[in-house]
Amino acid sequence: MIVVVVAAVALMLFAGVRMSRSRAVAKVKPVGKNGSAAPDFALKSLDGKQVRLSDYRGKAVLLNFWATWCAPCKIEMPWFVDLQKQYASQGLQVIGVAMDDSGEETIAKFAREMGVNYPVLIGKEAVGDAYGGVEFLPTTFIIDRQGKVVDRVFGLVGRSEFEDNIKKALGPGAQANAAPASEKEQAR
């Protein structure tokens, strides 16, 4: 008798989990690597402005979902600061979307301490859902000048992978102009 009850409970749990997953997947349009359009959004920046992704059409965008408590985020943020400096003149815009509940003051203080030189937006779950659900932090989308997703990265990867994807998003000619500012100055 106990075996039958345990089996019935296990079957109900399995079916419930499976049904909830299939419903969650059905609600979220997946944003993929192969040229799917990056969903537009409007979020408030730390300086109080309303920012839309579409404001950056014509630029390549590195869209990074992060949180102040996320250790891998702290590793990659200095890379994004450097990449913003290096590629801004070629049309790159890094945008950070803070996905934690620590409050704007804490997020702003953290961004200052990290030397962030790009817009930081206050994230909303609905925006994360529009991007297929942000289940892992950091999650980063590389978006080309036409608003198409070039790649998405879950978790921490090497800086060179981000840089390679930025070059793809910037389009032809980005490779030739990719030397760091210090190398360009030495060449003069």
Side-chain angles (χ1 to χ4, degrees):
M1 182 68 168
I2 294 175
V3 173
V4 173
V5 172
V6 170
V9 170
L11 182 61
M12 289 182 352
L13 285 172
F14 175 77
V17 167
R18 190 168 170 106
M19 287 176 60
S20 70
R21 283 187 182 159
S22 65
R23 285 187 189 138
V25 169
K27 288 181 195 174
V28 176
K29 287 174 117 176
V31 176
K33 293 182 183 184
N34 301 324
S36 50
D40 198 11
F41 57 79
L43 293 173
K44 189 172 99 176
S45 67
L46 289 177
D47 60 5
K49 296 178 184 170
Q50 192 78 355
V51 176
R52 296 181 166 283
L53 179 63
S54 57
D55 295 342
Y56 297 98
R57 186 62 48 97
K59 291 185 175 257
V61 174
L62 185 151
L63 182 65
N64 176 246
F65 292 89
W66 63 277
T68 56
W69 47 261
C70 167
C73 300
K74 294 174 188 176
I75 293 169
E76 69 183 13
M77 288 177 92
W79 300 344
F80 296 157
V81 168
D82 291 343
L83 291 167
Q84 177 64 44
K85 288 177 191 172
Q86 184 175 347
Y87 290 98
S89 65
Q90 295 177 47
L92 174 69
Q93 181 59 64
V94 176
I95 301 172
V97 180
M99 296 297 288
D100 59 85
D101 298 326
S102 61
E104 288 183 42
E105 267 184 50
T106 301
I107 294 167
K109 181 179 182 238
F110 180 84
R112 277 191 308 274
E113 289 171 357
M114 295 297 292
V116 171
N117 60 350
Y118 50 85
V120 173
L121 311 179
I122 306 303
K124 293 183 180 175
E125 192 172 326
V127 173
D129 289 347
Y131 279 82
V134 178
E135 296 180 30
F136 308 100
L137 292 176
T139 294
T140 304
F141 292 84
I142 314 301
I143 303 164
D144 70 14
R145 295 175 190 269
Q146 291 75 43
K148 305 288 185 192
V149 174
V150 171
D151 200 1
R152 59 184 176 176
V153 178
F154 301 108
L156 183 65
V157 298
R159 176 190 162 127
S160 62
E161 185 173 331
F162 286 118
E163 193 161 10
D164 290 346
N165 283 319
I166 288 168
K167 290 174 186 176
K168 287 179 199 171
L170 288 169
Q175 307 278 354
N177 297 322
S182 59
E183 287 179 28
K184 289 179 184 176
E185 289 171 11
Q186 290 173 358
R188 288 183 191 166

